[in-house]
Amino acid sequence: MGTVTTDDGTAIFYKDWGPRDGQPVVFHHGWPLSSDDWDAQMLFFLSHGYRVVAHDRRGHGRSGQPSGGHDMDTYAADVAALTDALDLRDAVHIGHSTGGGEVARYVARAKAGRVAKAVLVGAVPPVMVKSESNPDGTPIEVFDEFRAALAANRAQFYIDVPSGPFYGFNREGAKVSQGLIDKWWLQGMTGAANAHYDCIKAFSETDFTEDLRRITVPVLVAHGTDDQVVPYADSAPRSVELLRNGTLKSYEGLPHGMLSTHPELLNPDLLAFVEA
């Protein structure tokens, strides 16, 4: 574990486990979490001989808490600073939710030889917010409610989200894990309120259409059909249509946080894609 300092002086915390000569698999977490959200996947790939790397986005987890830079261009630049510092080559970049947007923007701009493949899991691209060009998107009022709830009582909001739609624990018959709820809360509360507030705009309003069109490496798009946070129909199928070399993998009835609720299903599929 260590930190990389970006051009604006922000310290980006990262984990770097496994053999230095192993192929790097880089994990990008969702809002408002940290690299700890990838525990199940990092341990899985580590056991298969890969070098696994994950960072805490600026303002999240153990990274620095600057007043600015909470936008996708800066997030991608921070990833570039990390991959340059660690000299990661032929890496597979896997992003969940907001992290999927970060992956799309970074991979579209990455230096030659840095990226071998990418995976978008329950990811926000192409664009979430409803508009004339995206009539099936999520209304801006939903994200305004997120901001209001965060500002009013972030601690309670960070209990309500994982207890409900994030993991699908609000569905009838769901097997609720208090441990996952508590872990989500802890990750969220470790980060900065200003960063999380600004990041809502970044993940909901950023348009990744041109990023997806520019990506030439193989991309796996994995998404649960019962995703209540990033609705399936307006995300995964549309992303695959924009990608030059994209593959869609749908998980019937699985929630937004399926990487934590169903790692036994997701992990083998990720490994198969990486090794293909």
Side-chain angles (χ1 to χ4, degrees), residues 128-129 138-148 200 203-204:
M128 286 194 72
V129 73
T138 302
I140 188 68
E141 290 78 11
V142 172
F143 304 113
D144 289 341
E145 290 173 3
F146 284 4
R147 281 181 277 261
I200 294 171
F203 76 65
S204 64

Side-chain angles (χ1 to χ4, degrees), residues 64-262:
Q65 300 188 359
S67 60
H70 308 297
D71 59 84
M72 281 295 166
D73 286 346
T74 307
Y75 295 160
D78 291 348
V79 174
L82 175 64
T83 57
D84 284 352
L86 299 181
D87 194 26
L88 302 181
R89 300 180 183 276
D90 294 320
V92 179
H93 286 263
I94 304 177
H96 175 243
S97 196
T98 300
E102 182 178 273
V103 166
R105 181 129 307 176
Y106 166 73
V107 172
R109 304 177 179 189
K111 298 175 183 177
R114 289 291 186 200
V115 180
K117 295 179 180 179
V119 182
L120 309 180
V121 182
V124 297
V127 60
M128 286 194 72
V129 73
K130 182 178 181 178
S131 65
E132 289 185 5
S133 60
N134 185 35
D136 296 324
T138 302
I140 188 68
E141 290 78 11
V142 172
F143 304 113
D144 289 341
E145 290 173 3
F146 284 4
R147 281 181 277 261
L150 188 156
N153 189 341
R154 184 167 65 127
Q156 184 61 49
F157 185 43
Y158 286 4
I159 294 173
D160 296 341
V161 174
S163 298
F166 196 92
Y167 294 121
F169 291 159
N170 56 344
R171 297 304 199 202
E172 185 177 355
K175 183 179 180 182
V176 176
S177 168
Q178 189 62 45
L180 282 182
I181 295 170
D182 292 347
K183 181 183 177 184
W184 203 102
W185 182 89
L186 179 60
Q187 289 178 80
M189 293 305 295
T190 303
N194 68 314
H196 294 172
Y197 189 96
D198 291 346
C199 187
I200 294 171
K201 180 180 177 66
F203 76 65
S204 64
E205 298 183 37
T206 304
D207 190 337
F208 299 97
T209 298
E210 293 307 314
D211 298 295
L212 296 173
R213 286 174 173 160
R214 289 176 58 182
I215 295 172
T216 58
V217 299
V219 181
L220 173 65
V221 180
H223 215 106
T225 63
D226 192 35
D227 191 322
Q228 300 173 67
V229 178
V230 182
Y232 174 87
D234 195 51
S235 52
R238 294 183 60 221
S239 289
V240 171
E241 290 176 358
L242 293 165
L243 289 161
R244 301 187 196 184
N245 189 3
T247 301
L248 176 62
K249 175 67 176 180
S250 303
Y251 294 82
E252 187 64 32
L254 292 199
H256 186 62
M258 63 181 182
L259 67 91
S260 297
T261 59
H262 294 81

Side-chain angles (χ1 to χ4, degrees), residues 8-20:
D8 70 352
T10 301
I12 302 297
F13 171 91
Y14 68 90
K15 305 173 184 181
D16 184 2
W17 305 339
R20 292 301 174 266

